[in-house]
Amino acid sequence: MDTPMYTRPGPGSDGTATSRRDRVYALMREEVLSGRIGPHTRLGEVRLAERFGVSRTPVREALARLHSDGLVERRENGFYATVPNLAELRDLYELRVTLELRGIARAIEDPTVVHDPGILAAELERWEKLRADPPAPDPSFVLLDEEYHAALSRASGNRALTESLVSVNQRIRRVRMYDFLTEDRITSTISEHIQIVEHLLARELDCAYRAMHDHVGASMEVVLERAQRALTQMALHSDIL
């Protein structure tokens, strides 16, 4: 938290008090969700106000909103980023699997539901480029992964499903980011993404459903094992958050 990531705005750039509050909230929310604020970093109003070049009032309001969102928690000496426990993760992962599969299941059940070929083609092109030139292992790869799954959900045509999936993925991002610290995890994810899209484009929906099921986790035991490993990594490497 000692190195500012944002430049201090010039005079008048904040606009109204409402826009200033919204800006601070959006910046703080992104830092919490991205993991740049670690679970052991106290979110002090004074330091945050200096960092964002505002008074303490919009910071205090942003913290209240983040607390309402469930993204920060109040402890004895202030606010901290929330770290979900394993029971919460089990529920959230189970919901994620349900939402991911539902986007395909609805097309299986109703022949009139067709995934948007334009969205699928764009994702296929993007991930084929990544396969040709894979990025180095990095926690931020989770953002690319989230974009992919949101795109496939959006292609299925149910906006509510997509909004719910995006929300769930944001809540488990701080743990899932530790899934992408090895080359084999990156390459396997890319290959699986391409396989799922190819099945959808070919209208091989049963194959796509099975591939998606395998991709997001075939059993809750596997999910919980990954979550436990990720939480351990978070504790060991909290200095990078």
Side-chain angles (χ1 to χ4, degrees):
M1 292 275 303
D2 292 330
T3 303
M5 298 186 63
Y6 304 97
T7 58
R8 183 182 296 271
S13 62
D14 278 337
T16 66
T18 298
S19 66
R20 184 160 49 246
R21 289 195 299 268
D22 290 343
R23 181 180 68 89
V24 172
Y25 166 75
L27 293 176
M28 290 177 59
R29 185 175 188 273
E30 174 57 28
E31 291 213 350
V32 170
L33 290 173
S34 68
R36 289 195 293 270
I37 294 178
H40 305 300
T41 300
R42 188 173 72 86
L43 301 174
E45 292 180 8
V46 174
R47 177 175 290 187
L48 289 168
E50 292 176 351
R51 180 175 187 175
F52 297 123
V54 297
S55 69
R56 293 172 62 181
T57 298
V59 171
R60 187 179 304 116
E61 293 175 348
L63 286 171
R65 290 175 66 182
L66 291 171
H67 184 258
S68 178
D69 293 341
L71 295 177
V72 304
E73 59 186 38
R74 187 191 293 275
R75 303 178 192 170
E76 291 184 1
N77 62 337
F79 285 103
Y80 291 81
T82 299
V83 178
N85 60 38
L86 285 179
E88 293 170 333
L89 281 171
R90 180 184 58 204
D91 292 344
L92 290 170
Y93 266 102
E94 185 175 3
L95 177 56
R96 180 198 175 205
V97 172
T98 299
L99 293 170
E100 296 274 15
L101 296 178
R102 185 58 199 161
I104 301 175
R106 63 191 306 268
I108 295 176
E109 297 167 3
D110 184 354
T112 66
V113 175
V114 179
H115 285 73
D116 187 321
I119 294 176
L120 296 180
E123 286 302 308
L124 180 59
E125 180 180 3
R126 182 161 74 123
W127 288 90
E128 285 180 335
K129 289 180 180 178
L130 287 171
R131 181 166 59 183
D133 185 19
D138 189 275
S140 64
F141 188 84
V142 72
L143 300 176
L144 292 176
D145 184 77
E146 287 181 18
E147 290 172 2
Y148 168 85
H149 286 282
L152 261 59
S153 179
R154 188 168 62 253
S156 75
N158 187 318
R159 181 178 299 179
L161 274 179
T162 303
E163 291 174 351
S164 297
L165 178 62
V166 169
S167 176
V168 169
N169 278 335
Q170 287 178 340
R171 293 177 66 184
I172 61 177
R173 178 186 298 164
R174 293 171 59 78
V175 173
R176 289 194 64 242
M177 64 193 292
Y178 288 95
D179 254 355
F180 302 108
L181 297 180
T182 61
E183 290 184 6
D184 64 316
R185 179 60 178 146
I186 297 294
T187 55
S188 64
T189 296
I190 293 172
S191 296
E192 290 164 13
H193 282 186
I194 291 173
Q195 180 187 48
I196 294 168
V197 172
E198 288 177 337
H199 284 316
L200 290 174
L201 282 169
R203 293 287 293 171
E204 299 167 347
L205 299 179
D206 288 337
C207 292
Y209 186 95
R210 289 193 297 270
M212 179 66 83
H213 188 273
D214 291 342
H215 177 62
V216 297
S219 69
M220 288 308 299
E221 287 77 13
V222 172
V223 169
L224 289 174
E225 187 263 332
R226 288 178 178 175
Q228 179 65 72
R229 186 171 65 248
L231 285 172
T232 300
Q233 289 294 321
M234 180 180 289
L236 291 174
H237 301 286
S238 61
D239 57 309
I240 72 170
L241 294 180

